[in-house]
Amino acid sequence: MAIRTILHYPDKRLRVPGEKVDPARIADKEIQTLIDDMAETMYAAPGVGLAATQIGVALQIFIIDVAGEDEPSDLRVFINPEIIEKHDEIVWTEGCLSFPGVTEEIERAAHVRCRALDRNGKSFEIEADELLAVAIQHENDHLLGKLMIDRLGPLKKRLLHRKMQKRAEATQSA
């Protein structure tokens, strides 16, 4: 396992949608290593979710672990996810590993039902509320090339873009 580099906004690779994973390839060492690396990267960051697109791999895979600090790990792997139902609304203070140090109030569905394949290629459906529902929608957005900043109003979007642009420029010149 290895910790991969997490892409930070405004890196253009964050806008590249993930491609579906061929179910016949899920058992391949390459995909299994990717999932292990994603988990190690997410826990090291630390975060509650990570999409393959955030580490520059344009595949439809994301992982989530919303277990509390005093709870055992509850790592969930979603391959080729589809949100098949969502309803009600919730405003959640979200962060994102691709926007270090940033939190924003984001409106999302309070309840979702998602269908995906697990790391063994087995199909599953999950119904989720609250943090898990928010995390599923957030990570699924990454697979579509959509980012947290896209869900903000024009003024907040412009301010966050400038902040992240300055951060990227400072990082490049360092």
Side-chain angles (χ1 to χ4, degrees):
M1 293 195 302
I3 295 175
R4 307 263 190 120
T5 300
I6 297 171
L7 304 178
H8 295 159
Y9 181 88
D11 193 305
K12 291 181 182 346
R13 292 172 289 176
L14 290 167
R15 297 293 187 180
V16 176
E19 295 180 16
K20 288 219 179 271
V21 177
D22 178 352
R25 288 189 52 221
I26 292 174
D28 290 358
K29 187 177 190 315
E30 175 189 352
I31 299 295
Q32 293 299 311
T33 299
L34 172 63
I35 292 167
D36 291 340
D37 289 355
M38 288 173 64
E40 189 169 351
T41 303
M42 179 186 75
Y43 290 131
V48 299
L50 185 69
T53 53
Q54 288 180 275
I55 58 170
V57 178
L59 292 175
Q60 288 190 11
I61 301 173
F62 68 75
I63 60 171
I64 292 175
D65 188 343
V66 295
E69 288 186 30
D70 299 336
E71 300 171 3
S73 172
D74 185 26
L75 183 66
R76 298 167 192 250
V77 177
F78 296 74
I79 301 172
N80 300 338
E82 292 177 80
I83 295 176
I84 53 179
E85 178 185 317
K86 55 185 177 179
H87 57 81
D88 301 329
E89 290 179 0
I90 191 170
V91 175
W92 203 272
T93 303
E94 293 185 31
C96 180
L97 297 176
S98 293
F99 291 82
V102 173
T103 56
E104 292 289 345
E105 299 282 309
I106 307 288
E107 187 176 303
R108 297 202 184 260
H111 175 87
V112 298
R113 190 158 55 109
C114 180
R115 178 183 303 130
L117 302 174
D118 66 15
R119 76 173 301 154
N120 299 311
K122 184 178 179 216
S123 180
F124 70 94
E125 279 190 22
I126 184 170
E127 291 202 32
D129 296 301
E130 307 235 337
L131 176 56
L132 183 56
V134 168
I136 288 170
Q137 292 169 89
H138 179 109
E139 299 309 329
N140 196 67
D141 275 358
H142 277 295
L143 302 185
L144 303 173
K146 188 168 187 167
L147 305 174
M148 183 174 82
I149 195 170
D150 301 328
R151 295 191 173 274
L152 299 176
L155 178 59
K156 281 190 171 187
K157 187 182 292 189
R158 192 166 40 256
L159 292 172
L160 181 54
H161 175 76
R162 283 186 193 147
K163 176 181 179 178
M164 295 303 295
Q165 189 73 42
K166 284 180 184 176
R167 183 186 184 283
E169 290 166 4
T171 302
Q172 288 174 350
S173 64

